[in-house]
Amino acid sequence: MRMAIVAGALALALAACGGTGGSKATMVKACTDAGEDKAMCSCIADGLEKSLDAKTFNTVAKAMAQGEEKGGEVLDNLPADEQSKIMGAMMSTGMQCAFGGA
């Protein structure tokens, strides 16, 4: 997996609420629109959905749809524990998807 996926996703966060169904589709679309393989994008979305609580998952998905620059600005304003939670989930999921699937 390219580090760009991890770095881009880590840079993204916006406030969100509700279920994760539409958010997963949003995440996969943003990922594939960025030029990534659909299977990798689906793996990442599935892994993050399992690793993060619904609110945080939705935050990441909606941020991905907004683009890296704006998401990066928002991430800088998140509490450190929230940033750490997202970063940890992205690293773990990224490694799983890159080296063996979810």
Side-chain angles (χ1 to χ4, degrees):
M1 181 178 128
R2 292 187 288 172
M3 286 305 294
I5 296 172
V6 174
L10 290 176
L12 305 172
L14 292 173
C17 60
T20 61
S23 293
K24 189 190 301 190
T26 298
M27 185 178 289
V28 171
K29 182 178 182 332
C31 181
T32 56
D33 285 353
E36 298 302 329
D37 179 71
K38 185 171 183 175
M40 176 63 81
C41 294
S42 294
C43 181
I44 290 169
D46 289 342
L48 290 177
E49 185 177 39
K50 291 175 190 172
S51 299
L52 298 171
D53 60 81
K55 180 181 180 218
T56 302
F57 179 80
N58 289 335
T59 296
V60 172
K62 288 191 177 203
M64 287 177 75
Q66 295 296 316
E68 187 173 345
E69 185 176 334
K70 182 170 179 139
E73 293 171 10
V74 175
L75 180 61
D76 289 340
N77 294 321
L78 288 174
D81 63 326
E82 189 76 8
Q83 292 179 28
S84 294
K85 181 175 22 174
I86 294 167
M87 208 176 296
M90 282 301 304
M91 295 303 293
S92 175
T93 299
M95 294 299 285
Q96 289 173 349
C97 291
F99 298 110

